[in-house]
């Protein structure tokens, strides 16, 4: 995660980070059997993008399960709805709350 924060996706190999669902834009960090699903969303005010970590699992099967992709998709939808109706505000570093 630290490497991703510092270098972006280009700092990771496809073995470490790849699209789990290209159509929905759901990404997957991988390390051994550990998987962490995430989505990218636009930050408010055109301030770039935010990584929303959805959930993590211990992988037991070869194929990504539909429910894991669906959980990440629901998180993105909830975030977008909360931003749209003002229930969520993102503060920049040093900004007063």
């Amino acid at each position: 995660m630290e490497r991703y924060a510092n270098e972006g996706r280009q700092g990771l190999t496809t073995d470490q980070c790849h699209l789990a669902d290209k159509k929905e834009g759901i990404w997957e960090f991988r390390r051994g059997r550990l998987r962490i699903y995430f989505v990218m969303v636009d930050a408010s005010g055109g301030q770039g993008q935010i990584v929303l970590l959805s959930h993590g699992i211990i992988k037991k099967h070869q194929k990504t399960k539909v429910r894991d992709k669906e959980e990440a998709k629901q998180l993105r939808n909830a975030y977008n709805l909360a931003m749209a109706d003002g229930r969520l505000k993102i503060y920049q570093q040093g900004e007063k709350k």
Side-chain angles (χ1 to χ4, degrees):
M1 297 299 293
E2 185 176 344
R3 183 186 293 170
Y4 185 90
N6 292 331
E7 301 175 31
R9 285 191 303 267
Q10 62 274 14
L12 302 172
T13 67
T14 54
D15 286 338
Q16 297 168 317
C17 179
H18 76 278
L19 271 169
D21 187 320
K22 188 174 185 175
K23 179 181 170 230
E24 294 293 340
I26 298 168
W27 290 83
E28 179 182 71
F29 282 118
R30 302 189 301 184
R31 181 159 187 164
R33 291 180 30 212
L34 176 65
R35 303 292 187 265
I36 300 173
Y37 295 94
F38 69 98
V39 293
M40 303 292 294
V41 296
D42 291 329
S44 62
Q47 297 293 319
Q49 290 192 312
I50 294 173
V51 175
L52 286 180
L53 300 177
S54 173
H55 65 289
I57 63 166
I58 302 295
K59 187 90 171 198
K60 296 179 183 172
H61 305 285
Q62 190 71 2
K63 192 169 179 172
T64 301
K65 293 190 175 192
V66 172
R67 73 172 178 239
D68 290 318
K69 291 189 250 184
E70 194 60 35
E71 193 170 334
K73 183 177 162 184
Q74 288 174 0
L75 174 68
R76 181 188 56 226
N77 293 344
Y79 169 87
N80 287 334
L81 183 61
M83 287 298 290
D85 67 15
R87 289 181 290 134
L88 183 63
K89 172 147 177 42
I90 298 173
Y91 294 93
Q92 299 299 320
Q93 188 173 1
E95 183 180 351
K96 291 190 177 192
K97 298 174 180 136

